Amino acid sequence: MSNKLDLKALTALVIGSMIGAGVFSLPQNMAAVASPAAVTLGWIITGFGMICLALTFQELMLSKPEVDGGVFGYAKAGFGDLCGFFSSWGYWLSSSVANVSYLVIVFSTLGLFFDTPSLTLFGDGNTLLSVVLSSILIWLVHTLVLRGVQTATFVNYVTTIAKLIPIIIFIIATLFAFKWHTFTFDFTGLKIEGAPSLFEQVRQTMLITVWVFIGVEGAVVCSGRAKSKRDVGRATILGLLVCLFLYVAVTLLSMGVISTPELAKLPNPSAAKILETLFGKAGAFIIGAGLIISVSGAYLSWTLLATETPFTAARLGLFPKCFSETNKNGTPVFSLWLTSCAIQLCLIMMFLIGGGYDDLLTIASEMILVPYLLVAAYLLKLSRTELVSARVRFIASLATIYGIWLLYASGLHHLLLAALLYLPGIAFYMHTKREAGKPGFHGPNKFLLVGVILAAIYGVYLLAEGTTL
C-alpha cells in the first residue's frame, strides 16, 4: 500500500486537525464576550486573515517546491537552522500537549452520561479511571500509527466524515428554528450601560477564533507524503473554507435560536444544550456522541502531525538522525515513541498536580502562532528579494500583519512564558549539531539564543510575580 496521500486524505487531515471540541462550545464562548454584530465582524476579519495565511502556504508550495518540512522548513529556509529548529520544537511540543486536552474532553464528556451524584467515574476527565482509559487510548493509537501513516489517515478520513454529521444536523436544526428578532435583539450589545465598545467586543472574539483554526497547516506538515505538491495547497484552502463555513453557521444560527444573554449562561458544550431545547435529551446525546467522535478524530490527526514533525525535522538536519528512521510500514518509529511518551507524561503530570493544565495548554498553543508568523514573514522576505507579482506581495503583507495580530490578541505575556518550554529543546539541537560536526551557535544564532534565554528569564519573573493566563 502506498504511503502517499491524495487530495481527499490531505483535506480530511486539515479538517480533522481543526475541528475538535471547540466547535461545540463556540455558541456560548462567543455570546459571553460579544454581540451578534461583533461576532459577525470578528468572523469576517478572522476569515480574511486565515485565507491570507492559507494562500501563503499555497504560494510557498508552488514557488518553493524544493523546500521540505512545510511550516518549519520555511522557517529554516528563511531565517536559519536555529530558527527552524525552534519552530519545529515548538510545533511538536504544542501538538503533543494539545492531545492531552482531547483525552480529557473525551472522558469528561463520558462523565455527562455515566457520572451520578453518588458516583464520579470520569469527573472532569482527570480521575484515576479517566487517566487509565486515556493511557490505553494513547497506546491503541500508537499501535494504529505503527501500522502505517496510510492506515491512520484512512481512519482519520472516516472519523472526519463521522464528526461532520452531528455538526450538519445542528446547523440544519438551528436554521429551521432561527428567529430574526432573536438574532437582532440588542444587535450591537451597546444598550446595556457599561457594555464594552464594539471594537473591544470584536477583539474579544478574536481571542477565541485564534484557537479554532489551529491545524490549518495539517496538509503542509505532511507535504512530504503528498502525491502532489499542488494537492497540499488545494487541501489547505478547501479545508479552511469548509471549517470557516461550519464555525460561522454554528455561531450565528445559535444566536437566532436563543438570545445572546441567555446563550452566554449555558454550560459547555453549549451546542448540546441548544439542541436539547429543540429535540430533548436526544439532542444532547447527538452532540455528546458527536463531540466524542470529533475529539477522538482530532486526537488521531494531531498524533499524526506531532509524529511527522520530528521525522521531517530530522530529515532537514534539525533533529537527531534517529528520528528519521522508519519501520517497514513507513512510520517514523522513534518520532512516534517520543510523541506517545510525551503525551503519556503530560497526562500523568496533569493527574498528579490536579490543576494548572489549562495554563500549560494555552502557553503551548501560543507556540504554534510563532511558526505561523515565520511562514508569512518568509513569503514577505521572498516578495522583497525575488521578482513576484503584486498579488503575492499583497498576500504576504496581509498574512504577516495578521500573524502579528494573532500574537497580540492571544497575549504577548503568553509568548514570554512559552519561551520556558523552548529551553529543553536546546539539548536536542546541540546533539544534532554534534552529529553533523557543526557549531550550533554562530552568527545570528547567538543573538536568537540570547533572545530566547532572556525571554525565558522574564517568563520566570512573571511566574514569580504571580502572573496568570
Side-chain angles (χ1 to χ4, degrees):
M1 182 183 292
S2 172
N3 278 325
K4 293 298 182 180
L5 308 180
D6 60 12
L7 179 61
K8 290 189 298 183
L10 290 168
T11 303
L13 186 60
V14 173
I15 296 174
S17 301
M18 279 194 281
I19 296 182
V23 64
F24 298 101
S25 300
L26 268 178
Q28 186 278 334
N29 291 345
M30 287 293 202
V33 299
S35 61
V39 171
T40 302
L41 289 172
W43 280 123
I44 291 173
I45 295 171
T46 299
F48 184 74
M50 292 306 301
I51 288 172
C52 287
L53 183 61
L55 288 173
T56 297
F57 284 127
Q58 186 178 50
E59 288 294 336
L60 288 172
M61 290 299 302
L62 296 176
S63 62
K64 293 292 180 180
E66 71 278 8
V67 177
D68 292 324
V71 177
F72 32 92
Y74 298 137
K76 176 188 177 183
F79 308 103
D81 282 0
L82 185 57
C83 197
F85 168 78
F86 278 138
S87 181
S88 60
W89 174 263
Y91 191 91
W92 169 76
L93 185 60
S94 58
S95 56
S96 297
V97 174
N99 262 348
V100 182
S101 72
Y102 291 135
L103 295 171
V104 171
I105 292 168
V106 165
F107 291 99
S108 64
T109 302
L110 287 176
L112 297 176
F113 299 109
F114 297 105
D115 285 359
T116 65
S118 60
L119 181 63
T120 301
L121 295 174
F122 301 104
D124 294 326
N126 57 358
T127 64
L128 180 61
L129 178 60
S130 296
V131 171
V132 171
L133 295 178
S134 294
S135 299
I136 293 174
L137 183 58
I138 289 172
W139 298 105
L140 283 176
V141 172
H142 178 94
T143 303
L144 175 64
V145 177
L146 277 177
R147 298 185 60 183
V149 173
Q150 188 69 33
T151 301
T153 51
F154 173 75
V155 175
N156 178 68
Y157 180 70
V158 174
T159 57
T160 297
I161 294 175
K163 76 169 66 175
L164 292 178
I165 294 175
I167 298 175
I168 292 172
I169 291 174
F170 180 88
I171 290 174
I172 294 173
T174 51
L175 179 62
F176 280 101
F178 184 87
K179 298 180 181 64
W180 183 252
H181 64 84
T182 301
F183 181 72
T184 55
F185 174 76
D186 195 9
F187 186 63
T188 60
L190 300 177
K191 294 181 180 180
I192 301 175
E193 186 177 353
S197 66
L198 193 61
F199 173 80
E200 180 58 23
Q201 292 180 52
V202 171
R203 194 186 75 82
Q204 290 294 325
T205 66
M206 300 295 286
L207 295 176
I208 299 168
T209 58
V210 161
W211 312 119
V212 295
F213 282 108
I214 288 177
V216 66
E217 72 290 341
V220 179
V221 173
C222 296
S223 59
R225 297 184 182 273
K227 288 183 177 179
S228 168
K229 291 286 188 179
R230 287 185 175 273
D231 284 346
V232 175
R234 292 168 181 166
T236 301
I237 298 294
L238 183 58
L240 170 64
L241 293 178
V242 169
C243 290
L244 179 61
F245 167 76
L246 296 176
Y247 292 153
V248 172
V250 166
T251 308
L252 296 183
L253 289 176
S254 297
M255 291 180 162
V257 176
I258 300 176
S259 67
T260 303
E262 294 175 341
L263 197 58
K265 298 176 183 178
L266 291 181
N268 282 315
S270 51
K273 292 297 181 181
I274 295 170
L275 214 57
E276 187 175 5
T277 63
L278 301 178
F279 295 143
K281 290 294 183 182
F285 179 80
I286 290 173
I287 295 300
L291 188 148
I292 291 174
I293 294 172
S294 177
V295 172
S296 298
Y299 178 85
L300 177 58
S301 295
W302 278 100
T303 299
L304 290 172
L305 294 182
T307 301
E308 196 73 11
T309 299
F311 168 69
T312 305
R315 294 172 60 189
L316 294 174
L318 299 175
F319 261 61
K321 294 178 181 178
C322 63
F323 291 104
S324 64
E325 297 179 13
T326 61
N327 63 11
K328 63 180 181 180
N329 297 317
T331 299
V333 182
F334 284 96
S335 181
L336 177 60
W337 276 99
L338 177 67
T339 298
S340 296
C341 289
I343 296 171
Q344 182 70 76
L345 180 61
C346 288
L347 184 66
I348 294 173
M349 288 178 60
M350 181 207 67
F351 174 70
L352 293 177
I353 64 177
Y357 171 73
D358 289 340
D359 292 347
L360 179 61
L361 177 61
T362 302
I363 296 172
S365 298
E366 180 87 8
M367 298 171 79
I368 288 185
L369 301 183
V370 176
Y372 284 176
L373 175 59
L374 291 175
V375 169
Y378 177 49
L379 183 62
L380 183 63
K381 179 180 179 180
L382 291 178
S383 71
R384 298 185 181 280
T385 58
E386 299 183 10
L387 185 61
V388 297
S389 66
R391 171 182 168 275
V392 173
R393 286 194 293 272
F394 182 68
I395 291 173
S397 299
L398 289 180
T400 302
I401 293 172
Y402 185 65
I404 295 172
W405 163 252
L406 289 181
L407 288 175
Y408 163 75
S410 60
L412 292 178
H413 65 289
H414 293 167
L415 186 60
L416 294 172
L417 293 171
L420 289 168
L421 300 179
Y422 282 99
L423 294 183
I426 295 175
F428 279 73
Y429 180 75
M430 292 176 64
H431 179 71
T432 302
K433 289 301 177 182
R434 280 199 299 269
E435 283 185 333
K438 297 179 180 179
F441 307 107
H442 59 90
N445 283 351
K446 293 181 180 178
F447 298 103
L448 177 58
L449 178 64
V450 170
V452 170
I453 293 175
L454 290 177
I457 292 173
Y458 194 72
V460 173
Y461 168 76
L462 291 176
L463 290 176
E465 290 293 304
T467 299
T468 61
L469 302 178

